Amino acid sequence: MRDILPPESGRWRRFTDVFADVVERAGYGQLITPLLEDLGVFTRIGDATDVVTKEMYDFVDKGERHIALRPEMTASVCRAFAEHRPTTPWKVFYSGSNFRYEKPQRGRYRQFDQVGLEVLGADDPNLDVEIIALAWEFYARLGLQQVSLIVNSLGEPDDRSRYVDALREHFTACGDALSQQSRATLERNPLRVLDSKRDVDQQHIAAAPRIAEFYSDDAAGHFEAVLTGLRALDIPFAIEPKLVRGLDYYRRTIFEFQGGTLDSAQNALGGGGRYDGLVEALGGPGTPGVGFALGVDRTLLACDDEGVFLAEPVRLDAFVVDVTGGLQAAAITAELRAAGLAADRGYDNRSMKAQMKLANRSGAAVALIVGEEELANGTVVVKPMRGGEQTAVSRSQISAYLTTHSDQN
Ligand code: HAM
């Protein structure tokens, strides 16, 4: 878990603001759910996933309720849908922290943030296309260029379970040739064996049956419609038959955005897909759902690597240097801030030299200097910090002066 300090924290906020701007213009409203839920909400994600079986921060509270810090937000959204029964299609977005007890490394943390969206109550393949297009637009707004999109379909639940059986048979026949870790994964979730990055497993994965052989007509039609929609919007993608994603609730379309600059173990910037059975599993009516979540921590690392969407220090219009005791600085900063300008000041009645050093470091466009002489004759010295003549301005005119001159500084 990490502390995010300024100015990096400002970049986090801008990140969420840009995301909200992109998706609100597409009709999504923000949903805020609790950080923790009844454990059962998350066990419905699937008991074959590491997220649920190994990584959950769960505990019994003072009221003897077994609860968990959310490891992701899709389950919370579906729980909220089942509880409030809003009209459909329900288009919501969210941002916030999630918790997974994973092995921390660059791009993988135990508390991490996501922004994401979900649409409940519509089956339309064009919706799968819409959400991918929104993520694509968001990456463009950040300035990221090295993002690639991979897509796959897991078919309908029946197709998927026949495929899982076929995989189990295939990998079981490999016996000891499969890595020990993959043999353990096979017991729990044969699909996840396809995710193995171990060399010894690769030839067996390459020879494994392909999901496309198991699609029903409906699943094949839905997937084809998604691909057609992506082509129509000129969104480049690759079909990745081995893509299975880490959560169990997916059906039909799944996709992932990968960053070109990150290590392959942590290169998923975000991902999502359809999860048509999740609302029902949480006690609601049968409701199709589709959505994605993008990792904030990891996407910002990708931004660092590409030198885009960098942290910006707060831009100050003025830094007040008051060597007459500090009351002038208090009054002037309050006046400037009320006039919509950004102003900071020195404290503790420090020397002129010390305060000018602070003014310099603050990055402010001008220093406003009040000494005994200025106090006596009712003026303030305006000193441009990036070159230019200093001038004395009447104390009563100072915010009007800065308002008209701040663009030029
Ligand atoms: P997920 O693939 O588990 O999907 O997480 C989405 C993204 O969150 C990942 O691609 C990654 O960028 C980020 N992420 C996940 N775990 C960590 C971690 N430990 N540290 C840093 N970043 C991490 C979901 O969470 C689904 N709820 C997505 C979804 C929404 N599917 C449908 N709707």
Side-chain angles (χ1 to χ4, degrees):
M1 296 181 185
R2 307 183 294 154
D3 301 312
I4 313 291
L5 276 55
E8 179 68 8
S9 48
R11 186 189 192 204
W12 278 61
R13 201 180 57 229
R14 270 198 296 134
F15 186 96
T16 326
D17 287 349
V18 173
F19 184 74
D21 186 53
V22 169
V23 300
E24 280 184 332
R25 278 184 298 107
Y28 292 76
Q30 184 168 12
L31 175 69
I32 301 174
T33 60
L35 270 183
L36 36 81
E37 299 268 356
D38 189 271
L39 178 72
V41 170
F42 302 120
T43 51
R44 301 299 188 323
I45 296 172
D47 53 15
T49 69
D50 286 355
V51 171
V52 172
T53 53
K54 296 192 197 152
E55 297 168 2
M56 205 120 71
Y57 279 87
D58 63 310
F59 58 98
V60 177
D61 76 0
K62 290 186 170 58
E64 303 291 313
R65 285 171 289 250
H66 199 167
I67 55 186
L69 290 174
R70 64 184 181 205
E72 60 109 53
M73 292 192 246
T74 309
S76 301
V77 173
C78 291
R79 192 268 311 140
F81 180 87
E83 200 171 317
H84 304 285
R85 307 285 169 105
T87 49
T88 56
W90 198 44
K91 297 171 78 173
V92 294
F93 76 97
Y94 48 76
S95 69
S97 297
N98 302 280
F99 303 83
R100 295 183 193 174
Y101 198 82
E102 294 198 82
K103 193 165 164 238
Q105 50 204 294
R106 185 177 191 252
R108 195 177 290 280
Y109 310 99
R110 290 182 172 169
Q111 175 173 343
F112 61 95
D113 270 44
Q114 289 180 339
V115 295
L117 56 76
E118 315 288 344
V119 185
L120 292 172
D123 210 24
D124 193 336
N126 286 308
L127 200 49
D128 309 23
V129 177
E130 169 176 300
I131 68 168
I132 291 174
L134 288 172
W136 204 248
E137 184 192 339
F138 175 63
Y139 290 129
R141 286 276 296 272
L142 297 179
L144 278 176
Q145 306 213 320
Q146 297 184 48
V147 181
S148 48
L149 165 66
I150 52 177
V151 296
N152 192 18
S153 170
L154 290 175
E156 302 287 352
D158 275 356
D159 312 343
R160 184 183 148 145
S161 64
R162 281 185 294 119
Y163 180 53
V164 169
D165 290 345
L167 280 181
R168 185 178 291 114
E169 200 174 309
H170 168 79
F171 286 124
T172 305
C174 299
D176 289 353
L178 215 56
S179 69
Q180 196 196 337
Q181 292 89 338
S182 288
R183 273 179 277 144
T185 310
L186 178 59
E187 303 246 311
R188 280 181 289 124
N189 190 348
L191 272 180
R192 295 289 284 174
V193 177
L194 297 175
D195 260 357
S196 163
K197 305 264 186 313
R198 290 179 192 85
D199 286 345
V200 289
D201 295 333
Q202 294 316 309
Q203 70 180 101
H204 307 294
I205 292 172
R210 296 289 168 116
I211 179 72
E213 300 156 22
F214 296 81
Y215 292 154
S216 60
D217 289 349
D218 275 359
H222 187 99
F223 193 36
E224 205 42 56
V226 172
L227 303 181
T228 305
L230 291 175
R231 287 187 196 106
L233 294 184
D234 284 331
I235 296 175
F237 64 86
I239 298 172
E240 175 47 89
K242 295 200 305 265
L243 177 67
V244 291
R245 307 259 314 123
L247 297 154
D248 271 351
Y249 48 59
Y250 292 112
R251 300 173 178 187
R252 297 194 277 178
T253 319
I254 52 173
F255 56 90
E256 211 160 87
F257 297 100
Q258 299 186 333
T261 60
L262 302 172
D263 286 351
S264 68
Q266 279 84 241
N267 69 349
L269 299 180
R274 284 209 160 263
Y275 47 88
D276 297 346
L278 195 52
V279 172
E280 218 171 345
L282 286 162
T287 309
V290 65
F292 65 70
L294 314 178
V296 178
D297 311 70
R298 227 174 256 188
T299 307
L300 287 175
L301 284 176
C303 289
D304 287 342
D305 292 344
E306 290 200 34
V308 297
F309 201 74
L310 300 175
E312 288 169 3
V314 176
R315 205 186 144 275
L316 281 182
D317 296 300
F319 190 97
V320 183
V321 173
D322 173 3
V323 289
T324 68
L327 269 184
Q328 290 303 310
I332 295 171
T333 47
E335 206 177 302
L336 297 181
R337 291 168 191 163
L341 296 162
D344 199 1
R345 52 167 292 195
Y347 300 99
D348 294 331
N349 202 21
R350 297 175 69 182
S351 70
M352 171 76 88
K353 193 169 161 215
Q355 290 195 51
M356 281 308 293
K357 210 162 150 188
L358 289 176
N360 236 325
R361 203 186 301 154
S362 76
V366 300
L368 302 182
I369 305 166
V370 186
E372 293 302 340
E373 199 183 318
E374 286 76 25
L375 183 60
N377 61 24
T379 59
V380 174
V381 170
V382 180
K383 180 177 163 52
M385 301 303 283
R386 292 187 270 281
E389 289 295 301
Q390 65 178 47
T391 43
V393 174
S394 158
R395 166 71 185 81
S396 61
Q397 293 301 309
I398 194 68
S399 60
Y401 178 88
L402 279 191
T403 308
T404 46
H405 288 76
S406 67
D407 292 347
Q408 297 157 23
N409 288 309

